[in-house]
Amino acid sequence: MITTTIWSMKSSRYAPPRPIAQYGAGVRAENQADMEEDELRTANAAEDAAQAEKADEAAILEAGKQIGSGGVVAFPTETVYGLGADARSTAAVERIFQAKGRPSDNPLIVHISDRGQLADFVADWNELASRLMDRFWPGPLTIVLPVREGAVSERVTAGLDTVAVRMPDHEVALRLIAAAQCPVAAPSANRSGRPSPTLASHVAEDLSGYIDGIVDGGATGVGLESTVIEIVSDDTVRILRPGGVTAEQLGEIAGCVLDEEDEKTEATKDIKPEDALSALSEVGVSTEAGVPARLGVSSKDGMPAQVGVSSKDGVPTEVGVSSEDGVPTEAGVSSKDGMPAQVGVSSGTGDAAVVLQETQAPRSPGMKYTHYAPRGSMLLVEGEPSAVQAYINRQLAEANARGVKTGVLTYDEHIAEYQDAHLALACGSLGELESAARQLYAVLREFDACEVEAIWAEACSRAGIGQALMNRLTKAAGHRIVRV
């Protein structure tokens, strides 16, 4: 364990504005004394703001020097908090993998503060890539480009001949990268497989004692990670991971937008409930109650076992660590060969099909393993709202009868439908999925804080930002989807 320094931004530009005078803009003071007091408070506030800005600059410079000298520092972006290290240093990048418990074949995104940095480590890019940068940088778009040989650590590229690059749209991030004087490799600042952090407190919860520092810049904005694309041709891009930039927005620049999600859907196999029973026994899900489960759940009775406790001998194990060799693993990943285990969920009532989705080798972050997952087991339910609500309520009744602490992840419009859940949380409105995206990870962490064991999540529209939201919900559920 190491000491983790917290640098808190003081300036009002990174925090909710504070009132600086007794009277708001456009309100006239009643007398001269009030006017003089107002002017004094304004002057004092301006002085405080200048001092705060100076303190912030010193903190950012210190954090940047930490990264430039081989340290690992978490910092805010407009999407989620990132965990940054010098992308050129294998030793520094390895510290990211160690802190996160991240599989080594998962590439990292390199963050820059100026497009002039691209030529240092990117071999080439075409005119379409330039137009996308013009439109969306700085912003939540990551572009996979040919890497210049030897320019960044192979741990960043996972041995591929490409590198994922973006320029974040957050002043703290841009200033920090500039202060580091190097390209900064930065995945999300959480333990691998856990919900991504949208607050500095989330980072501290997962990584305090494992990293050198955290720059606290307040809440992030988009709340979901960046969109990752690869350039297919002079007019075509392929979305590898949906995110803050939508397919519709990309289509305004590229002539053709291919979607990795759509291509994978073609290979998705719908399993009839009666055919899925053999798959269920492999992942420890009860075929009697249909209660979703992850590792550490008994396959005999479907009751959740204590988190991090071996189901064989009750010996405590570290979450995400193989009890055989101590090697970090992710939920749903075999501790024998590191390959994702097959997952599935019984429909319980026989009126829902189970979808088992296949995985592919990752060409970008967020493609291969279970991600964004709460500690409790989670199942995504898709269909007409009335059918989804009826299904979830039946499952709640069965799980509650078995003594399972239950949760439902829903939306503002449906929150009243789940009175039997121990904890029902709305991540936002179906009419404004941007708000749901911003709050999703915080809601998943709230289920953890309340020690919820089984979670049913409602699906949403895949239009616009809904595509990214559904991607994260699907991964959080370990690709376990029941269609009703």
Side-chain angles (χ1 to χ4, degrees):
M1 301 289 283
I2 62 176
T3 300
T4 299
T5 303
I6 308 293
W7 295 284
S8 296
M9 298 294 97
K10 308 296 185 184
S11 173
S12 60
R13 63 167 42 158
Y14 310 126
R18 295 174 295 175
I20 61 173
Q22 182 178 354
Y23 305 103
V27 178
R28 183 176 61 85
E30 292 294 331
N31 53 53
Q32 184 64 31
D34 285 344
M35 292 178 65
E36 291 176 355
E37 182 180 355
D38 187 32
E39 290 174 357
L40 178 60
R41 290 184 179 182
T42 301
N44 289 340
E47 183 179 351
D48 290 346
Q51 292 177 350
E53 177 64 25
K54 186 176 180 180
D56 287 349
E57 183 64 26
I60 290 171
L61 286 173
E62 183 181 352
K65 288 180 180 178
Q66 186 75 252
I67 291 176
S69 61
V72 180
V73 173
F75 62 94
T77 75
E78 81 283 19
T79 56
V80 298
Y81 273 74
L83 183 59
D86 186 346
R88 304 166 303 181
S89 169
T90 295
V93 173
E94 283 179 346
R95 291 192 59 198
I96 291 178
F97 287 99
Q98 291 165 2
K100 286 179 63 70
R102 185 185 180 97
S104 60
D105 64 345
N106 227 359
L108 305 180
I109 294 173
V110 175
H111 294 64
I112 60 174
S113 58
D114 186 280
R115 280 174 62 172
Q117 294 176 273
L118 280 176
D120 294 338
F121 62 94
V122 174
D124 191 22
W125 60 93
N126 64 11
E127 193 268 338
L128 174 57
S130 293
R131 286 191 284 117
L132 289 165
M133 294 174 197
D134 290 340
R135 172 68 182 274
F136 298 111
W137 281 8
L141 179 68
T142 295
I143 307 177
V144 177
L145 298 168
V147 67
R148 186 178 294 279
E149 186 175 358
V152 298
S153 168
E154 288 191 2
R155 297 282 276 165
V156 169
T157 62
L160 301 175
D161 59 2
T162 56
V163 61
V165 192
R166 89 177 187 98
M167 184 189 298
D169 187 17
H170 195 290
E171 188 170 354
V172 171
L174 293 173
R175 291 166 68 183
L176 177 70
I177 297 165
Q181 298 184 342
C182 63
V184 175
S188 56
N190 55 291
R191 288 291 293 178
S192 193
R194 295 272 291 127
S196 296
T198 54
L199 294 170
S201 59
H202 296 162
V203 180
E205 177 184 332
D206 280 9
L207 299 177
S208 184
Y210 295 93
I211 62 177
D212 296 304
I214 302 169
V215 179
D216 184 353
T220 60
V222 177
L224 296 181
E225 295 81 359
S226 62
T227 301
V228 181
I229 64 168
E230 63 180 358
I231 307 297
V232 177
S233 68
D234 289 341
D235 68 346
T236 302
V237 301
R238 176 181 286 109
I239 298 175
L240 302 179
R241 181 184 72 184
V245 174
T246 67
E248 293 84 354
Q249 291 172 314
L250 291 170
E252 296 173 4
I253 305 298
C256 179
V257 179
L258 305 177
D259 193 336
E260 182 79 16
E261 292 283 305
D262 290 343
E263 294 173 13
K264 287 168 64 177
T265 299
E266 294 175 2
T268 297
K269 187 177 182 181
D270 288 354
I271 308 297
K272 294 180 180 179
E274 59 269 25
D275 295 335
L277 299 183
S278 59
L280 300 179
S281 62
E282 296 177 11
V283 293
V285 178
S286 168
T287 59
E288 297 176 3
V291 177
R294 282 192 207 281
L295 303 178
V297 177
S298 169
S299 61
K300 294 181 179 180
D301 58 12
M303 293 298 292
Q306 187 177 356
V307 175
V309 176
S310 168
S311 59
K312 294 182 179 180
D313 55 15
V315 177
T317 61
E318 185 177 348
V319 175
V321 177
S322 166
S323 59
E324 296 180 2
D325 55 13
V327 176
T329 63
E330 290 196 352
V333 178
S334 169
S335 61
K336 295 181 179 180
D337 58 11
M339 295 299 293
Q342 187 178 21
V343 292
V345 177
S346 167
S347 66
T349 57
D351 59 358
V354 179
V355 180
L356 305 182
Q357 300 198 15
E358 299 178 4
T359 59
Q360 298 179 358
R363 300 196 303 282
S364 87
M367 291 183 66
K368 183 172 182 181
Y369 299 100
T370 299
H371 282 269
Y372 325 114
R375 292 192 176 97
S377 58
M378 182 167 148
L379 175 65
L380 183 59
V381 186
E382 188 171 20
E384 290 297 320
S386 59
V388 168
Q389 292 159 20
Y391 174 80
I392 291 177
N393 278 312
R394 286 197 301 272
Q395 295 294 294
L396 289 173
E398 293 184 29
N400 289 338
R402 301 172 70 83
V404 177
K405 190 169 185 179
T406 57
V408 176
L409 195 163
T410 182
Y411 305 92
D412 294 340
E413 294 84 349
H414 300 161
I415 189 70
E417 301 299 325
Y418 301 109
Q419 299 297 319
D420 291 336
H422 289 91
L423 182 64
L425 295 175
C427 60
S429 170
L430 287 168
E432 188 187 356
L433 289 180
E434 290 80 5
S435 67
R438 283 193 297 271
Q439 300 177 76
L440 173 63
Y441 293 143
V443 167
L444 292 177
R445 286 178 177 267
E446 182 65 19
F447 284 121
D448 286 350
C450 295
E451 299 182 341
V452 172
E453 297 167 311
I455 304 162
W456 287 264
E458 287 189 353
C460 67
S461 165
R462 287 178 168 80
I465 195 69
Q467 181 188 23
L469 189 57
M470 278 295 289
N471 172 271
R472 304 313 191 269
L473 285 169
T474 300
K475 291 179 181 295
H479 295 274
R480 294 177 292 191
I481 305 175
V482 171
R483 305 191 195 280
V484 296

